[in-house]
Amino acid sequence: MTSALPDVMCIGQARLTAGLDRTDRIDLTSHYSIFGTLPRLTADQLIGMAEQVDLRGRGGAAFPVARKMKAVLQSVQKRKRRAVVLVNATEGEPGSAKDRMLMLRSPFLVLGGALLAARALHAMEILIGVTREDVARSVSAACMEEPDLRRLVRVVRVPERFVSGEGGALVNAMNGKPALPPGRKVRAADTGVDDLPTYLSNAETFAQIAVLAMLGPRGYASTGTSKEPGTYLLTVGGAADRPAILEVPAGLPLGEALDLCDAAPGDGVLVGGYHGMWLPTDAAYDVPVSRAGLTAAGGSLGAGIVLP
């Protein structure tokens, strides 16, 4: 199930990758022993925690989690409709493998974050949008181990295309339409799946929500930088002799990640994938792995893709 994935490595304290140095796949019992049980949080509590650490989405756009969750909550209250939670696990960026890794090797971290959001928002359903059969099997098997997940989660396959991961395209697919962007701005928080308020984020974002809930804002902010606390998952590929999915604290010099993956920058390093930029060789080693650091250097963190 995990043979097609690159190695998983970590610099500093493992959070999203905790336990993966000891097992190929973390089952429910192992998950509880590694991470503990999830707290039950209200929407206001979860939003407040996300605001304290300025948690951003990890799908590429870095949209504030708290603002998106507030929008769903307001729509629920205004329209008197139940919410839906939608996990974007399509990972259409060809250079990225971090979401697939989480779904295959530590699925309960992603599903736990989705369950936290669903309970906080009183959602009626959790939908998991996937493109790959192995990911669909992994999620379905995980849900069979936990009663709430078995009751709430539905896995939906969509075509394996870059555009399938665009938010509007994924909502269209969940509604039985072609997985194509709608061509106009439609907020899922207002009218998403089945015209219901929908909280939509990518797989790593839900894993980050779970970690935040278990550690609390102070614990979550014990690594990273003051403005960008926590860790990032990078997919380091390209000319790397040791390609890997690498968890690093925000602010780490990119050169440390390149060195660990035996990745000489050569003529430059592409950061951020399709929507990213090339960093020149002389800048690549010293630039901090953070949204602010990479933007200041003329790059983009995006979905954490690093291709020397």
Side-chain angles (χ1 to χ4, degrees), residues 251-255 271 279 282-290 292-299:
L252 182 90
L254 183 59
V271 290
L279 293 178
D282 57 358
Y285 263 92
D286 295 327
V287 64
V289 178
S290 66
L294 285 164
T295 299

Side-chain angles (χ1 to χ4, degrees), residues 234 251-259 263-271 277-290 293-294 297-299 306-308:
L234 305 178
L252 182 90
L254 183 59
E256 291 192 34
L258 294 173
D259 286 344
D267 293 329
V269 180
L270 177 64
V271 290
M277 297 286 287
W278 286 94
L279 293 178
T281 305
D282 57 358
Y285 263 92
D286 295 327
V287 64
V289 178
S290 66
L294 285 164
V306 179
L307 300 175

Side-chain angles (χ1 to χ4, degrees), residues 71-173:
V72 174
L73 187 61
Q74 289 168 356
S75 185
V76 165
Q77 293 168 344
K78 179 180 179 180
R79 299 178 59 199
K80 302 293 191 291
R81 303 289 299 276
R82 295 284 295 278
V84 172
V85 169
L86 175 55
V87 180
N88 188 344
T90 59
E91 198 165 41
E93 286 267 9
S96 182
K98 63 184 180 65
D99 292 338
R100 176 162 52 100
M101 181 277 292
L102 288 170
M103 303 306 282
L104 290 174
R105 298 195 58 188
S106 193
F108 291 103
L109 201 56
V110 178
L111 293 170
L115 192 56
L116 271 168
R119 287 170 173 168
L121 296 168
H122 302 290
M124 60 187 297
E125 189 174 31
I126 298 171
L127 296 175
I128 317 287
V130 304
T131 59
R132 297 172 56 100
E133 176 61 30
D134 55 351
V135 174
R137 288 198 309 269
S138 177
V139 174
S140 297
C143 291
M144 293 303 294
E145 297 184 56
E146 209 283 333
D148 283 347
L149 293 175
R150 186 165 60 244
R151 178 175 57 86
L152 287 172
V153 171
R154 181 161 59 94
V155 181
V156 181
R157 290 280 304 275
V158 300
E160 192 167 356
R161 297 195 298 257
F162 178 73
V163 296
S164 295
E166 192 272 336
L170 188 60
V171 169
N172 276 342

Side-chain angles (χ1 to χ4, degrees), residues 233-245:
L233 285 180
L234 305 178
T235 306
V236 184
D241 289 337
R242 192 182 180 189
I245 297 159

Side-chain angles (χ1 to χ4, degrees), residues 18-41:
L20 295 179
D21 58 334
R22 303 191 297 274
T23 183
D24 284 341
R25 186 176 188 275
I26 299 173
D27 62 17
L28 185 59
T29 300
S30 299
H31 176 83
Y32 286 145
S33 68
I34 294 166
F35 296 102
T37 57
L38 287 171
R40 285 186 177 263
L41 302 171

